[in-house]
Every structure is written in C-alpha cells, then in structure tokens.
Amino acid sequence: MKRNENLIPLSHEHHHGLVFCHRLKKLNHTDQLTAVRYINDYYENHLRNHFTEEENTLAYLINDEKIKRRFLNDHNIISNIITNINITPTDVIEQGLALSQIINNHIRFEERILFPWLEENLSDKELFGIGNDLNVEVTEIEGHAFEPEFWEN
C-alpha cells in the first residue's frame, strides 16, 4: 500500500534515522569522544525534534493502547540510552550498537505497524491534520552532516 502523503515527511525522516543506525555500527572507526559527540549531535539536531513532532501530532490520535504504549515507550527507551551514553561514555561503542538496533526496530515498528494503523483508522481529515501539523515539505528534510565522517573509513 502506498504511504499516505501526510505521513511521508515522517517516513523521510525515518530514512535518515536508518542512515544514522548504519553509521552507529561503525563507531569502532573513531574515538570515544567523537562517538559521543556524534550521537549527541544527531539527537539534539534531529531525533529529539522528531520525537516531539511525532508525539505532538500522532499520540492523541492513537486509541489502540498497545500501539500507543509501544510508540511512547520506544521514544523513552531511546532517550534514556542516549542519557546513559553521556553518563557512562566508556562503553559508547557497545551502547551505540544497542542504540542502532533499538532505533532500527522502532522505525520498522512505525513504518510497518503504526503508520498502516493510522492510515486504516483515521479519517482523511485527521490524516490531513497530521500533514498540516507537520507543515514541512519533503525537500526541506536534510540528512545529518557531521565531521569527521568516521563511517567512510
């Protein structure tokens, strides 16, 4: 099934999230400080806003408690892992790998379960409201730039 146009901006952000996950798997190509900086930079400049945007535009529309609980719990777990990385950066490589897997699983959950549920259960007006609340053109969604590009090694 083709993704509803009002959810496409979130799907594009998810693509960039999957790129982030792929890069996390290469944290062993850099030093601990750079790895922590990279994770924090992505979180502060992309992921935190993405979570807030999703929670503000989607959470109140989800009346399936199991889906809603998973959606919100995943956001909290991911944020907590990033907090833990900052508290205990010595094992950032291992935590980065775990973070990669959890974010990957979360994106797959949203794309394969949450979004189809929204498309099936929300009215056209509600879906349009999501798009209106997001108020972003897909062309405005940029990838994450970071130096050094340790994942290229």
Side-chain angles (χ1 to χ4, degrees):
M1 183 166 111
K2 187 176 178 184
R3 179 69 62 229
N4 181 281
E5 66 183 337
N6 295 293
L7 297 173
I8 289 175
L10 294 174
S11 289
H12 277 265
E13 289 178 1
H14 287 162
H15 168 75
H16 293 297
L18 293 173
V19 170
F20 174 67
C21 290
H22 178 73
R23 291 175 179 175
L24 286 175
K25 294 175 185 175
K26 296 185 177 189
L27 286 178
N28 61 339
H29 294 197
T30 192
D31 60 273
Q32 175 184 321
L33 179 62
T34 301
V36 172
R37 276 187 35 242
Y38 177 67
I39 291 167
N40 285 330
D41 188 74
Y42 186 80
Y43 183 70
E44 293 300 326
N45 292 300
H46 298 280
L47 197 55
R48 182 193 309 250
N49 293 336
H50 176 79
F51 285 172
T52 300
E53 194 172 67
E54 283 188 333
E55 290 169 12
N56 289 341
T57 59
L58 304 179
Y60 75 97
L61 295 167
I62 305 168
N63 60 19
D64 180 304
E65 287 305 313
K66 184 178 177 184
I67 290 175
K68 187 174 191 172
R69 187 172 36 256
R70 165 87 190 266
F71 168 70
L72 295 172
N73 283 344
D74 282 2
H75 286 189
N76 287 331
I77 289 167
I78 292 164
S79 296
N80 288 338
I81 290 172
I82 293 169
T83 298
N84 288 336
I85 286 170
N86 285 287
I87 293 170
T88 315
T90 53
D91 60 347
V92 65
I93 306 302
E94 294 79 18
Q95 290 186 80
L97 289 173
L99 180 63
S100 172
Q101 189 61 52
I102 291 167
I103 291 174
N104 184 64
N105 290 344
H106 175 68
I107 290 170
R108 300 298 182 208
F109 158 75
E110 287 190 354
E111 291 290 334
R112 295 177 182 167
I113 296 171
L114 176 60
F115 289 3
W117 184 91
L118 293 169
E119 291 166 329
E120 185 175 312
N121 291 281
L122 299 183
S123 68
D124 289 342
K125 183 178 179 181
E126 288 170 317
L127 288 166
F128 179 79
I130 292 169
N132 196 42
D133 288 347
L134 294 174
N135 194 28
V136 64
E137 293 292 325
V138 172
T139 56
E140 295 174 12
I141 299 170
E142 296 180 5
H144 179 229
F146 182 84
E147 292 289 336
E149 293 180 340
F150 60 87
W151 55 87
E152 295 293 337
N153 296 333

